[in-house]
Amino acid sequence: MTNLGLFSGLKPIKSVNVRFRLPYYTQWGQSLVVCGSEPVLGGWDVKKGLSLSPVHQGDELIWSGTVSVPNGFESEYSYYVVDDEKNVLRWEIGKKRKLLFPEGIQDGVLIELHDLWQTGDDTLPFSSAFKDVVFRSSGSLKVERPLGVTENKLDDEDSVLVYFKICCPNIEEDTSVKFLFPFLQFTLLVAPPNWGNGSHSTYKYSKYRNAENFSLETGPTRDLSLESSKAQPRYIVLSDGMLRETAWRGAGVAIPMFSVRSESDLGVGEFLDLKLLVDWAVESGFHLVQLLPINDTSVHKMWWDSYPYSSLSVFALHPLYLRVQALSDKIPQDIKAEIEKAKEQLDGKDVDYEATMTTKFSIAKKIFAQEKDIIFNSSSFQEFFSENEDWLKPYAAFCFLRDFFETSDHSQWGRFSHYTKERLEKLISEDSLHYEVISFHYYIQYHLHIQLSEAANYARKQGVILKGDLPIGVDRSSVDTWVYPNLFRMNTSTGAPPDYFDKNGQNWGFPTYNWEEMSKDNYAWWRARLTQMAKYFTAYRIDHILGFFRIWELPEHAMTGLVGKFRPSIPLSQEELEREGIWDFDRLSRPYVLQQFLQDTFGVSWSFIASNFLNEYQKNRYEFKEDCNTEKKIVSMLKSLSEKSSLDNEDKIRRDLFDLLRNIVLIRDPEDPKKFYPRFNLEDTSSFRDLDEHSKNVLKRLYYDYYFHRQENLWRQNALKTLPVLLNSSDMLACGEDLGLIPSCVHPVMQELGLIGLRIQRMPSEPGLEFGIPSQYSYMTVCAPSCHDCSTLRAWWEEDEERRQRYFKTVVGSDMLPPSTCVPDVAYFVIKQHFEAPSMWAIFPLQDLLALKDKYTTRPATEETINDPTNPKHYWRYRVHVTLEYLIKDNELITTIKDLVRESGRSHPRVRTVAQAKRESAVPSTEKHQVEKHQVTNGKEKVPLDIPKDPLAVR
């Protein structure tokens, strides 16, 4: 029997009761749990957390629960939505809450926490984009009376002490926050006198500097009610969320790094040019500069590598953007002369990718030879190497092996095909004969880091957000697939189903991700990737955010993007189809090729095509031969035939054979022959048209269900597993490229996570509209008249006369004939619409902004397009035809843009740059000559015209 006398000398533990209270609507089968860092709240094990119970109060569903804790207890905590088994379905976004008691509370009292569910929107002001750049303050705000040491006491037994908590991320020095009751004003955290049970009042908060300088928050009044009951709390901590202010809106410019032109570059934009671009952005009233991906893409060592979305490494920076002049302060005269000569030779209309890379590496190796020991012995390099060696060592080894074997296809590297740390360390050993080659790549990456860091720090100080781009995929012959092959499905390829850009879909060639494997270490590869980006950027664009819900997966042997399926997705089972009366699966899943099709398609050549590519397996019915039954095999066979004898219209033959190969209704799962996926746009196939009416009706219904209903919950759950990992890996502001075929689950998830979407006027997300309406865009969006994946504003305007007339009538509101070219007043009207949109960000391609001034439109509009998504071998080489130095001195263009920013109510930087004084000085004659050289097109110089200020002057 226990001897209770052993414990007689112990003092009783003082405790208090904590009641959690949260208004939140749930669906059937869902409930709320509080989980925290301390064991009494589950120790971050949600299944052990405190379950809450719901009560209806008016129009609200209030969840609450009580727990007893020791006096002085502290803990972090969050709210979670769970199912009946306490599996997490949803959780709050943002930082963990802190439970902190005021001093001097009595034993046994009840403290009630009135919380609001935290959404992604609430975290935006705390992203580095706003916290460290836009709202950056030179001073520090002092919290003089934190909750833990407040001096307020309860003198009346019937009174309640209320602590008002409000989040005010954008607050200047010497400014306080107050709240306003009717007729009375009380400072924050002070309880109203005579406040007792059963009381009710409305109130608002106000930013307050002095009697003449204060601003009341927007929106409806807030309510505070205390109902009389026996279990009333003595203390209430009222978390009121965010201070309601007029929505902050900003503007920015978008341009690929390679497209920038300056007086110092060697044929391509360079990281240090960003400082000039930031100066121009600030003077134009912009808070943001957006780039395309800047990672190394040197897979083939030819112009194909100009494609910035096919990363050789997701960590390494691209040597293309290196400024060789900045490698050393002691560059010999002969090398300086070589640099000057290279500047002149590479100063072309477009980027010469191969020549630029060759020249920069040649010069860099000469400088490396003379100063490598100084750099490698420096503390700066050693710190860089120590922080980055996990990816830097494999990257340098990969580059060496790529050049040694003359291929990036690591399956061709013999014993080095399979990466191991032991082989890596031996390969990069300082004792090896090729160590100098390895260390050269360290050297290049170190200087790229130094130069980009300098530009990024400059942007932060100037109040400009530097926005990067996170590609959805990596090249299948990359450092990442070599080091982490288990994270990728190498027998597949990623792409996009048919959309605005291409009726045959897109095939990007990247392997799809093995999300199941990635989840085993909590997506460490992704977290490291975002951490690396955050060293330079304060915002980023998630390329093809739909890929985190589901990816369009194609077999590795496909070349186009049409015959794919979504991963993950719920397939159609053979049993399900049989119940619907569908049974002839070979007929539906094999190419449907009749002799009549061949004759209609190939004419007199049909027998030649049939004999080389097909077998007749039934009378007038054909199937593809084994060596021609994929798109890649067809291309290989055509190449073989053309080498033997010339083929007329080889491209047409290839397209027609691809159409026949894709003439199917169902795609059979290669891993399970009893599972099927409806082919995209199956009604367009002759295979479908030749079916009986019953089969057509069934397949149309199943098709619609598969693409628009069946997967929604699965895709939502998939996104909520992966996207929060990205968002929590850094404090960068996250935007998502959500163009294309958008499942209905996407926008609610993006809203919940605080992800900002993209709106392009010519690609409206609203059904039934040909042109988006910027004035109706939601706040959580980036709006733009064009982007890098489509034609510029000028080119789009000139592409289609009938569409141009419809736009003029529908959007401009004029029945007059529109101008055939995008004259400055047209550009002004379109751009002004976007500035005035409710969107948080209006971001404009630099080409569209240059269209505001006639003198910058001398270059044919079609040459300003950055990417052609329909061409898998597109050369990404566009360069702006005017230098940044010249643009900084163009007062007229800067004034026009800045006026648009101010008149639209968008925020503009408060920083004054050195360039502001410089641009008022006269342009030196040598610089004028240099600029004029870039403005000449086809031997003619266009005289600049004034820009009409009336946005509707085109009427």
Side-chain angles (χ1 to χ4, degrees):
M1 190 172 189
T2 304
N3 184 358
L4 298 178
L6 294 174
F7 300 95
S8 59
L10 296 181
K11 295 182 179 180
I13 298 175
K14 294 184 178 181
S15 64
V16 296
N17 297 313
V18 180
R19 180 191 295 162
F20 297 89
R21 180 185 184 277
L22 181 83
Y24 190 88
Y25 281 102
T26 56
Q27 298 177 0
W28 182 259
Q30 298 177 347
S31 60
L32 260 63
V33 166
V34 175
C35 188
S37 55
E38 295 302 310
V40 69
L41 292 177
W44 294 129
D45 183 346
V46 177
K47 290 185 180 294
K48 297 178 181 179
L50 174 66
S51 297
L52 305 183
S53 301
V55 175
H56 282 282
Q57 290 186 7
D59 295 332
E60 292 186 316
L61 184 64
I62 307 296
W63 291 83
S64 63
T66 305
V67 64
S68 180
V69 298
N71 204 332
F73 177 82
E74 294 183 10
S75 179
E76 292 185 326
Y77 70 98
S78 283
Y79 292 95
Y80 298 82
V81 178
V82 298
D83 61 17
D84 292 336
E85 304 297 324
K86 274 200 170 181
N87 297 309
V88 176
L89 302 175
R90 196 174 306 118
W91 56 91
E92 292 186 291
I93 306 300
K95 294 182 179 180
K96 305 298 183 185
R97 301 172 185 268
K98 289 187 178 180
L99 179 56
L100 184 65
F101 295 154
E103 288 185 357
I105 61 174
Q106 300 174 354
D107 183 26
V109 302
L110 175 62
I111 301 175
E112 190 165 85
L113 307 179
H114 288 213
D115 289 331
L116 297 174
W117 181 271
Q118 293 178 167
T119 66
D121 297 12
D122 299 328
T123 68
L124 296 183
F126 302 101
S127 66
S128 56
F130 290 110
K131 174 173 57 75
D132 300 334
V133 182
V134 175
F135 300 149
R136 178 176 58 89
S137 174
S138 58
S140 60
L141 296 174
K142 296 180 180 179
V143 181
E144 297 179 355
R145 299 164 66 87
L147 180 62
V149 295
T150 184
E151 298 172 359
N152 293 321
K153 304 294 182 182
L154 285 173
D155 298 324
D156 189 336
E157 291 185 0
D158 294 328
S159 64
V160 177
L161 187 60
V162 182
Y163 294 86
F164 292 84
K165 293 174 62 178
I166 185 73
C167 185
C168 318
N170 178 20
I171 188 169
E172 299 175 354
E173 288 187 274
D174 302 322
T175 301
S176 61
V177 177
K178 302 194 174 189
F179 64 85
L180 304 178
F181 277 86
F183 314 118
L184 292 174
Q185 178 173 297
F186 299 91
T187 56
L188 190 67
L189 297 181
V190 177
N194 302 319
W195 189 264
N197 292 336
S199 301
H200 173 270
S201 186
T202 59
Y203 63 100
K204 275 192 172 187
Y205 292 93
S206 172
K207 276 187 180 179
Y208 183 89
R209 179 171 291 175
N210 51 54
E212 289 77 30
N213 191 345
F214 72 94
S215 58
L216 192 64
E217 70 172 340
T218 61
T221 56
R222 301 174 186 262
D223 292 311
L224 177 58
S225 300
L226 293 178
E227 298 181 1
S228 299
S229 70
K230 294 181 180 180
Q232 274 296 333
R234 298 301 307 278
Y235 298 89
I236 291 178
V237 180
L238 182 61
S239 298
D240 263 331
M242 304 289 291
L243 185 71
R244 298 168 182 164
E245 300 183 87
T246 301
W248 185 96
R249 292 154 64 240
V253 59
I255 188 72
M257 190 71 259
F258 59 80
S259 298
V260 170
R261 186 187 294 271
S262 77
E263 295 174 5
S264 301
D265 69 51
L266 260 68
V268 69
E270 298 166 347
F271 287 146
L272 289 176
D273 289 328
L274 288 172
K275 296 170 73 174
L276 282 174
L277 184 56
V278 164
D279 283 343
W280 181 82
V282 170
E283 295 197 44
S284 300
F286 290 146
H287 265 300
L288 183 145
V289 168
Q290 178 172 319
L291 304 176
L292 293 188
I294 55 172
N295 293 109
D296 192 355
T297 58
S298 307
V299 176
H300 306 283
K301 302 199 73 174
M302 58 185 297
W303 68 264
W304 290 1
D305 298 336
S306 66
Y307 178 37
Y309 287 90
S310 187
S311 304
L312 177 80
S313 165
V314 299
F315 299 100
L317 299 171
H318 205 310
L320 184 69
Y321 306 127
L322 181 72
R323 177 155 294 167
V324 293
Q325 301 97 306
L327 291 177
S328 174
D329 294 330
K330 300 177 181 179
I331 298 177
Q333 284 302 124
D334 59 330
I335 298 180
K336 286 183 178 179
E338 184 180 353
I339 292 172
E340 291 304 312
K341 183 179 179 181
K343 282 174 64 177
E344 184 176 346
Q345 291 175 337
L346 295 171
D347 188 24
K349 182 180 71 172
D350 299 309
V351 176
D352 187 334
Y353 182 89
E354 293 174 39
T356 302
M357 284 290 288
T358 300
T359 301
K360 289 197 174 190
F361 268 112
S362 174
I363 295 171
K365 284 177 181 177
K366 294 173 184 177
I367 301 174
F368 168 73
Q370 73 174 26
E371 67 158 24
K372 58 185 178 182
D373 293 335
I374 298 174
I375 294 296
F376 291 157
N377 289 325
S378 69
S379 59
S380 175
F381 174 81
Q382 290 171 6
E383 181 182 356
F384 164 77
F385 190 85
S386 175
E387 290 180 357
N388 297 278
E389 60 180 320
D390 286 347
W391 65 263
L392 186 58
K393 287 179 177 180
Y395 166 77
F398 187 98
C399 291
F400 167 75
L401 292 169
R402 172 200 60 197
D403 298 343
F404 181 83
F405 287 102
E406 298 183 338
T407 179
S408 290
D409 182 357
H410 38 80
S411 67
Q412 306 299 312
W413 290 355
R415 65 189 180 94
F416 293 107
S417 295
H418 300 287
Y419 170 88
T420 65
K421 286 189 176 181
E422 292 75 17
R423 286 177 186 156
L424 173 69
E425 292 300 330
K426 188 174 182 180
L427 186 66
I428 65 172
S429 168
E430 294 186 24
D431 299 329
S432 66
L433 296 175
H434 49 261
Y435 179 70
E436 184 163 317
V437 179
I438 296 284
S439 63
F440 175 69
H441 296 291
Y442 298 158
Y443 172 83
I444 293 296
Q445 286 300 313
Y446 166 71
H447 278 288
L448 286 165
H449 164 73
I450 293 296
Q451 293 180 16
L452 181 55
S453 296
E454 180 181 333
N457 291 334
Y458 183 81
R460 287 188 182 95
K461 290 177 181 178
Q462 300 301 93
V464 173
I465 296 165
L466 201 58
K467 183 180 178 182
D469 198 317
L470 183 75
I472 185 63
V474 302
D475 198 283
R476 63 179 61 252
S477 297
S478 66
V479 182
D480 300 279
T481 58
W482 181 51
V483 177
Y484 308 107
N486 58 314
L487 302 184
F488 304 91
R489 295 170 53 82
M490 297 298 290
N491 64 337
T492 66
S493 182
T494 60
D499 58 10
Y500 175 92
F501 297 113
D502 196 330
K503 64 181 180 63
N504 287 321
Q506 299 176 54
N507 187 339
W508 303 323
F510 314 132
T512 56
Y513 294 123
N514 186 341
W515 289 110
E516 293 77 15
E517 191 68 27
M518 287 179 163
S519 68
K520 292 179 181 178
D521 60 4
N522 193 28
Y523 310 95
W525 180 79
W526 281 105
R527 288 186 284 111
R529 191 175 174 185
L530 269 294
T531 301
Q532 185 72 8
M533 279 192 75
K535 293 178 180 179
Y536 314 110
F537 299 105
T538 48
Y540 66 107
R541 167 189 177 271
I542 303 175
D543 172 47
H544 193 64
I545 197 172
L546 301 184
F548 293 91
F549 292 80
R550 82 293 184 273
I551 199 71
W552 187 245
E553 186 177 75
L554 302 149
E556 191 274 333
H557 55 70
M559 297 185 69
T560 62
L562 184 59
V563 186
K565 60 183 177 64
F566 288 123
R567 176 175 289 274
S569 66
I570 304 169
L572 306 175
S573 68
Q574 182 170 318
E575 294 80 6
E576 178 182 6
L577 289 164
E578 288 175 341
R579 286 198 302 270
E580 297 280 1
I582 305 297
W583 55 272
D584 195 348
F585 301 110
D586 280 345
R587 154 73 175 82
L588 296 171
S589 61
R590 294 172 62 185
Y592 182 62
V593 184
L594 303 181
Q595 181 173 312
Q596 188 62 49
F597 296 168
L598 296 174
Q599 293 172 339
D600 293 343
T601 303
F602 299 101
V604 295
S605 302
W606 82 268
S607 58
F608 171 81
I609 296 297
S611 62
N612 283 281
F613 293 90
L614 302 153
N615 291 321
E616 187 176 15
Y617 71 97
Q618 289 181 7
K619 184 174 178 57
N620 298 329
R621 293 281 295 270
Y622 290 79
E623 64 181 2
F624 280 88
K625 294 181 178 180
E626 181 65 27
D627 57 355
C628 303
N629 62 359
T630 71
E631 290 178 341
K632 285 187 177 179
K633 288 179 181 180
I634 287 174
V635 169
S636 178
M637 176 62 73
L638 282 171
K639 182 179 179 182
S640 176
L641 291 174
S642 64
E643 289 173 353
K644 297 175 183 177
S645 60
S646 60
L647 289 176
D648 293 332
N649 298 320
E650 183 177 337
D651 285 345
K652 183 179 184 305
I653 293 174
R654 175 182 54 80
R655 290 194 302 270
D656 290 340
L657 285 170
F658 279 11
D659 285 342
L660 287 177
L661 188 68
R662 299 179 305 212
N663 190 23
I664 59 176
V665 175
L666 297 176
I667 299 170
R668 194 186 292 266
D669 192 317
E671 299 171 8
D672 187 341
K674 291 189 175 183
K675 293 180 179 177
F676 300 88
Y677 306 87
R679 201 211 86 159
F680 199 90
N681 289 344
L682 56 79
E683 292 183 61
D684 293 344
T685 66
S686 57
S687 177
F688 178 85
R689 290 192 294 270
D690 279 3
L691 293 173
D692 61 273
E693 288 303 314
H694 170 76
S695 297
K696 286 180 181 179
N697 291 333
V698 169
L699 289 167
K700 281 194 291 187
R701 175 165 48 80
L702 293 175
Y703 172 92
Y704 189 83
D705 179 65
Y706 176 85
Y707 281 100
F708 300 104
H709 292 294
R710 189 184 187 99
Q711 325 293 343
E712 291 294 326
N713 190 52
L714 173 65
W715 291 343
R716 174 186 170 81
Q717 292 174 356
N718 197 54
L720 288 175
K721 287 179 184 176
T722 56
L723 282 173
V725 176
L726 266 71
L727 302 180
N728 294 331
S729 298
S730 77
D731 60 356
M732 292 184 289
L733 178 69
C735 305
E737 182 267 295
D738 53 348
L739 303 177
L741 184 68
I742 309 296
S744 60
C745 63
V746 170
H747 289 151
V749 168
M750 290 182 66
Q751 183 178 3
E752 183 174 337
L753 298 180
L755 279 161
I756 304 166
L758 176 61
R759 297 294 175 268
I760 305 293
Q761 188 172 27
R762 71 187 74 170
M763 292 177 273
S765 56
E766 303 85 356
L769 286 182
E770 183 178 13
F771 311 111
I773 306 172
S775 63
Q776 296 180 8
Y777 292 160
S778 64
Y779 175 67
M780 290 292 290
T781 57
V782 171
C783 68
S786 69
C787 65
H788 68 274
D789 271 332
C790 61
S791 55
T792 62
L793 174 58
R794 283 178 60 218
W796 177 79
W797 185 264
E798 298 167 13
E799 283 168 359
D800 188 324
E801 180 180 357
E802 293 183 358
R803 182 182 62 198
R804 182 167 66 235
Q805 290 176 357
R806 292 194 300 273
Y807 182 92
F808 211 63
K809 181 177 178 62
T810 305
V811 182
V812 179
S814 173
D815 291 322
M816 296 179 63
L817 192 66
S820 58
T821 60
C822 186
V823 294
D825 47 2
V826 169
Y828 188 95
F829 173 80
V830 176
I831 289 172
K832 190 171 190 292
Q833 282 186 91
H834 290 78
F835 269 114
E836 294 177 344
S839 303
M840 179 189 296
W841 288 103
I843 301 178
F844 303 90
L846 182 58
Q847 305 96 299
D848 291 351
L849 293 170
L850 294 182
L852 288 168
K853 195 166 182 178
D854 199 56
K855 69 183 295 184
Y856 297 125
T857 62
T858 57
R859 190 172 183 175
T862 53
E863 294 182 2
E864 293 187 330
T865 297
I866 294 168
N867 177 36
D868 177 7
T870 65
N871 180 7
K873 292 298 181 183
H874 174 74
Y875 196 166
W876 297 60
R877 61 187 313 192
Y878 165 72
R879 293 190 78 193
V880 180
H881 58 292
V882 62
T883 64
L884 287 172
E885 290 87 347
Y886 188 82
L887 285 177
I888 287 173
K889 295 174 176 66
D890 189 336
N891 288 292
E892 186 180 14
L893 179 62
I894 285 175
T895 300
T896 299
I897 296 173
K898 183 176 285 187
D899 286 347
L900 283 166
V901 175
R902 286 174 171 163
E903 291 167 5
S904 65
R906 292 188 177 271
S907 175
H908 51 85
R910 293 169 293 195
V911 181
R912 177 181 173 85
T913 65
V914 174
Q916 188 168 354
K918 286 183 178 180
R919 72 180 172 88
E920 296 171 359
S921 62
V923 182
S925 58
T926 54
E927 188 176 15
K928 284 182 179 178
H929 174 75
Q930 180 75 10
V931 172
E932 288 168 359
K933 180 177 68 173
H934 294 313
Q935 292 176 347
V936 174
T937 303
N938 297 327
K940 298 179 181 179
E941 183 175 355
K942 199 164 185 179
V943 180
L945 301 175
D946 290 334
I947 302 174
K949 294 299 187 291
D950 180 2
L952 298 181
V954 290
R955 291 186 181 183

